[in-house]
Amino acid sequence: MDAKVSKLINEQINKELYSAYLYLDFANYYAQAGLDGFENWYRVQAQEERDHALLFYQYLQNNSEKVTFEAVDKPEWTRSDNMAPLKKGLEHEQYVTSLINTIYAAAYEVHDFRTMQLLDWFVKEQGEEEKNATDMITKMELFGSDAKGLYMLNSELKARVYTAPSLVL
């Protein structure tokens, strides 16, 4: 595997673990606010991000590449209102999309088609992640200022369950 591609994937493992940490922090925020549905949604999101890190980890292992773990940064965001985590979540997903695109471009440059095939799944996943984040903001804008609407939205989010990705490496 190309050294640059391997390095970027190693860095992505850390970024995915940071994502899990960030979303767990969002879950904690919502738990303290008494919004257990939002808490659940972000706990599930944290599990997804952790599994994304493990997919990249396994991919490097399967290709006999050295995995290097770095410290995971403390989540930084401004806790102002119930919309703040949602907006930070969208911003973060857009950032992660840019990281995936950077790895893809590096793999493309060296004709690493196997890595590109792996990244195809992540490109699609990031599209879904950004749409989910945008949808959450839209729903909060529509219903969040109304107590009954917020209750219903919270109840909807409480129903989310985790489904592990089924990606063959």
Side-chain angles (χ1 to χ4, degrees):
M1 181 180 290
D2 179 74
K4 180 179 178 183
V5 173
S6 179
K7 179 180 182 289
L8 288 170
I9 293 173
N10 254 297
E11 290 170 357
Q12 191 63 31
I13 292 169
N14 180 273
K15 300 298 184 187
E16 297 291 343
L17 291 172
Y18 174 81
S19 296
Y21 203 34
L22 176 65
Y23 292 145
L24 196 56
D25 197 28
F26 290 174
N28 185 50
Y29 169 85
Y30 284 120
Q32 293 171 356
L35 292 168
D36 57 348
F38 285 82
E39 174 196 9
N40 175 66
W41 200 91
Y42 277 110
R43 271 190 294 113
V44 169
Q45 196 63 27
Q47 289 176 290
E48 270 193 21
E49 302 303 341
R50 181 208 59 216
D51 278 357
H52 293 170
L54 292 174
L55 287 170
F56 282 119
Y57 167 83
Q58 190 62 56
Y59 183 74
L60 288 179
Q61 290 289 327
N62 289 353
N63 286 280
S64 302
E65 291 293 316
K66 182 179 177 185
V67 176
T68 306
F69 294 106
E70 300 295 334
V72 178
D73 292 335
K74 178 182 177 182
E76 294 293 335
W77 59 283
T78 304
R79 290 149 179 83
S80 57
D81 58 21
N82 292 336
M83 183 65 89
L86 305 179
K87 288 183 176 178
K88 180 64 178 179
L90 175 59
E91 176 188 312
H92 183 72
E93 288 301 340
Q94 291 167 334
Y95 169 67
V96 172
T97 297
S98 75
L99 296 172
I100 298 296
N101 290 342
T102 297
I103 302 169
Y104 201 104
Y108 179 80
E109 187 176 306
V110 295
H111 301 214
D112 183 349
F113 302 112
R114 187 167 181 213
T115 298
M116 289 166 56
Q117 185 177 25
L118 168 76
L119 293 171
D120 283 341
W121 182 88
F122 281 97
V123 169
K124 181 177 182 268
E125 176 71 8
Q126 281 310 118
E128 292 172 9
E129 298 285 17
E130 286 187 31
K131 182 179 182 334
N132 287 340
T134 300
D135 289 351
M136 293 272 288
I137 290 169
T138 299
K139 288 178 180 180
M140 183 62 97
E141 287 173 344
L142 288 170
F143 309 116
S145 61
D146 173 69
K148 289 179 186 176
L150 183 59
Y151 176 81
M152 290 178 68
L153 180 55
N154 188 63
S155 296
E156 174 187 324
L157 298 177
K158 197 183 306 187
R160 184 180 187 201
V161 294
Y162 180 66
T163 306
S166 58
L167 180 62
V168 178
L169 303 175

